[in-house]
Amino acid sequence: MSQSSIDSAKAQELLDSPHLASGIKKATRHLMPMLIILYFVAFLDRTNVGFAEAALEADRGITAGAYALGAGIFFIGYALFEIPSNLLLTKFGARFWLARIAITWGIVASAFAFVTDDTMFVILRFLLGVTEAGLFPGVIMFLSEWFPNKRRVQMFALFYLAQPFSQMLGAPLSGGLISFGEQVTPWAGWQVMFFVEGMMAVAAGIASFIFLVDSPQKAKFLNDDEKYALKAVMEHEDAIKDEDGPRGIWPAMINWKVWYFTVIYFCLQIAVYGTTFYLPQQVAALIGKDVGWEVGLVSAIPWAVGLFACYYVGKNATTVRRRRTWGTLFFIITGLAIFTSAWAGANHQGFIGILAITVAVSAFLSTGPISWSFPTSFLAGAAAATGIGLINSLGNLGGFVAPIMRNGVNEAIPTESGTWGVVSLGVFAFLAAGMFWGTRFFRAKADDLLKEEPAVPGH
């Protein structure tokens, strides 16, 4: 009997298997720490440029326009090489390919310590995107091959914890390295920060080659029953995806659902990177301090709160109804919080501003794992490599658009605090909210493997 012919009772029996539960626990314990470390360093290396903005302008003459272009052009290189990288991951395996990605981007990240002018800055930002391309979608695809739909959002949420960890710990780390470099070494503080944090990625890449495992069947930490349980439930889900979703590279590229979630992810990234790229400078203005240790500590607050919000939502978003409702709500909250932070900056309300940024970060962190549960419920095989890569690559162009749009709006409507530039980013969160709620009109067959909550009358 084919996996696609297994009835719902048999499917539920697979999901309720104690061997599956123990296999998932072991896989979580062995795989997630390394994946979190990889994304921790990746997110740190792509956003630490915010701590060096003023110093780069003073020491190397990097202009505001070049900074905005460099901050965003990362995502052009990222987008161009995302799908090829994801397809190569399926050929070489996650263990080797994720290690390659980390080592090469770490070398480029360290090279920022030697930036001399606008051109070199922009080129290195582009190369950083090229070398990091494939990490995030590769991990998303990797997790969708290890964990069933019902537990996938929880795994995505654990992976997403690297973002708040990288900013909660990375913000004071970056600020501290800058202060250390200025006071103790003969180099500029920003040079020390870039070099040390780049080398952290190289070390993480070497470690990932040692600790990651390509598939359950190759995992020595699983017994035979656990391997069988994971293999059976994942094959059943993949069979359903093959019936429900596109098959192959080109069908995935033209699938309307893939493009629908690409637009949603694009809007999300505008909100995310519109906040994170300028967070240190925005916090510095709100508390009246220069970028350094104190700003690093305050910048960590939103991420510390977001860590708990992301974990709670990931653990409890176990039904389609919850995922859709919570995702829509969090997008709305993100937009409102960004608007509030803009008002607080214009009116010198430091406490309200930090509180609004904290709410925005918590909301968009919680939305990310939920968003990825939808495309991974109908994409499998080469279609997954292509579709997930397309969503992430084009969606991440929001990170290219955000700083340039914010800078352009501020130049068109100049204010002391850059209020309208911030507001322009928040608008996209509301567009994403409307589209996310629209997912109620279509669903994947794999969603039937989730235990739904009782229907609410009138819905």
Side-chain angles (χ1 to χ4, degrees):
M1 181 169 58
S2 68
Q3 291 293 332
S4 59
S5 65
I6 297 177
D7 60 24
S8 59
K10 179 61 176 178
Q12 195 56 56
E13 181 183 338
L14 287 172
L15 289 172
D16 292 337
S17 165
H19 299 301
L20 178 66
S22 62
I24 288 175
K25 285 182 180 179
K26 289 182 180 179
T28 302
R29 187 167 61 249
H30 282 81
L31 301 176
M32 295 312 300
M34 190 67 254
L35 296 175
I36 291 171
I37 289 171
L38 278 176
Y39 197 41
F40 171 96
V41 181
F43 205 80
L44 184 66
D45 282 338
R46 70 167 68 169
T47 60
N48 62 5
V49 68
F51 284 90
E53 179 184 6
L56 285 170
E57 180 179 359
D59 294 353
R60 296 293 186 266
I62 306 299
T63 63
Y67 175 81
L69 176 60
I73 204 170
F74 165 91
F75 295 99
I76 299 297
Y78 198 86
L80 289 174
F81 290 88
E82 190 89 319
I83 294 176
S85 178
N86 232 26
L87 291 171
L88 287 171
L89 182 144
T90 63
K91 179 179 180 180
F92 292 105
R95 176 171 171 261
F96 171 82
W97 198 248
L98 293 178
R100 193 285 304 165
I101 290 172
I103 291 170
T104 52
W105 105 59
I107 293 171
V108 173
S110 293
F112 277 89
F114 310 103
V115 164
T116 57
D117 54 27
D118 285 1
T119 302
M120 185 176 179
F121 176 77
V122 172
I123 290 174
L124 283 176
R125 283 294 298 180
F126 176 77
L127 289 176
L128 188 66
V130 171
T131 51
E132 194 195 317
L135 174 73
F136 183 89
V139 172
I140 293 296
M141 188 170 64
F142 178 62
L143 293 177
S144 69
E145 293 173 351
W146 266 91
F147 299 97
N149 191 10
K150 186 174 181 63
R151 298 295 297 274
R152 204 168 294 147
V153 171
Q154 184 178 0
M155 296 306 114
F156 290 163
L158 286 174
F159 179 54
Y160 260 76
L161 293 183
Q163 287 193 35
F165 270 127
S166 72
Q167 301 306 314
M168 185 177 65
L169 302 178
L173 173 63
S174 296
L177 285 173
I178 289 174
S179 298
F180 175 81
E182 295 290 348
Q183 297 170 13
V184 179
T185 75
W187 299 284
W190 60 270
Q191 290 180 296
V192 173
M193 178 196 70
F194 280 131
F195 187 80
V196 171
E197 292 179 353
M199 286 297 101
M200 288 171 58
V202 174
I206 295 171
S208 67
F209 185 76
I210 297 172
F211 293 109
L212 290 183
V213 183
D214 287 327
S215 69
Q217 299 310 301
K218 296 181 180 180
K220 295 181 180 179
F221 57 81
L222 297 176
N223 62 42
D224 290 341
D225 289 334
E226 291 163 343
K227 288 179 181 180
Y228 172 79
L230 275 169
K231 183 175 183 289
V233 73
M234 298 312 297
E235 284 185 352
H236 179 51
E237 285 197 4
D238 285 346
I240 293 176
K241 291 177 186 179
D242 282 338
E243 293 177 359
D244 191 34
R247 299 182 182 181
I249 296 174
W250 291 110
M253 292 190 72
I254 62 174
N255 183 270
W256 72 270
K257 288 184 181 180
V258 169
W259 285 95
Y260 191 91
F261 287 107
T262 298
V263 175
I264 290 177
Y265 201 61
F266 175 85
C267 294
L268 173 62
Q269 295 311 300
I270 286 183
V272 170
Y273 288 104
T275 301
T276 55
F277 273 139
Y278 293 89
L279 182 60
Q281 299 300 325
Q282 194 169 355
V283 169
L286 286 168
I287 68 175
K289 299 284 186 179
D290 293 330
V291 174
W293 181 253
E294 291 175 283
V295 169
L297 286 175
V298 176
S299 297
I301 294 174
W303 300 101
V305 177
L307 186 153
F308 292 101
C310 182
Y311 177 78
Y312 175 83
V313 170
K315 185 178 180 180
N316 292 280
T318 55
T319 69
V320 176
R321 190 186 306 277
R322 285 183 181 179
R323 292 174 183 179
R324 181 183 303 115
T325 303
W326 291 2
T328 303
L329 179 63
F330 290 138
F331 272 123
I332 293 172
I333 291 173
T334 297
L336 292 174
I338 291 175
F339 286 175
T340 303
S341 73
W343 175 88
N347 292 275
H348 307 290
Q349 298 292 323
F351 176 78
I352 295 177
I354 298 299
L355 180 62
I357 293 172
T358 300
V359 172
V361 170
S362 298
F364 70 60
L365 278 177
S366 300
T367 303
I370 293 176
S371 298
W372 280 109
S373 71
F374 286 83
T376 56
S377 68
F378 67 88
L379 293 171
T386 304
I388 293 171
L390 183 66
I391 293 169
N392 194 62
S393 61
L394 297 186
N396 263 304
L397 289 178
F400 175 77
V401 171
I404 294 176
M405 181 175 68
R406 178 171 175 166
N407 193 53
V409 171
N410 285 337
E411 289 180 355
I413 315 174
T415 61
E416 181 182 352
S417 61
T419 301
W420 293 108
V422 178
V423 168
S424 68
L425 305 177
V427 170
F428 285 85
F430 291 100
L431 173 60
M435 293 186 67
F436 211 82
W437 184 247
T439 61
R440 68 197 300 248
F441 298 108
F442 58 91
R443 62 180 296 160
K445 291 182 180 179
D447 292 336
D448 293 332
L449 296 176
L450 301 175
K451 289 182 178 179
E452 268 296 5
E453 297 171 324
V456 178
H459 288 67

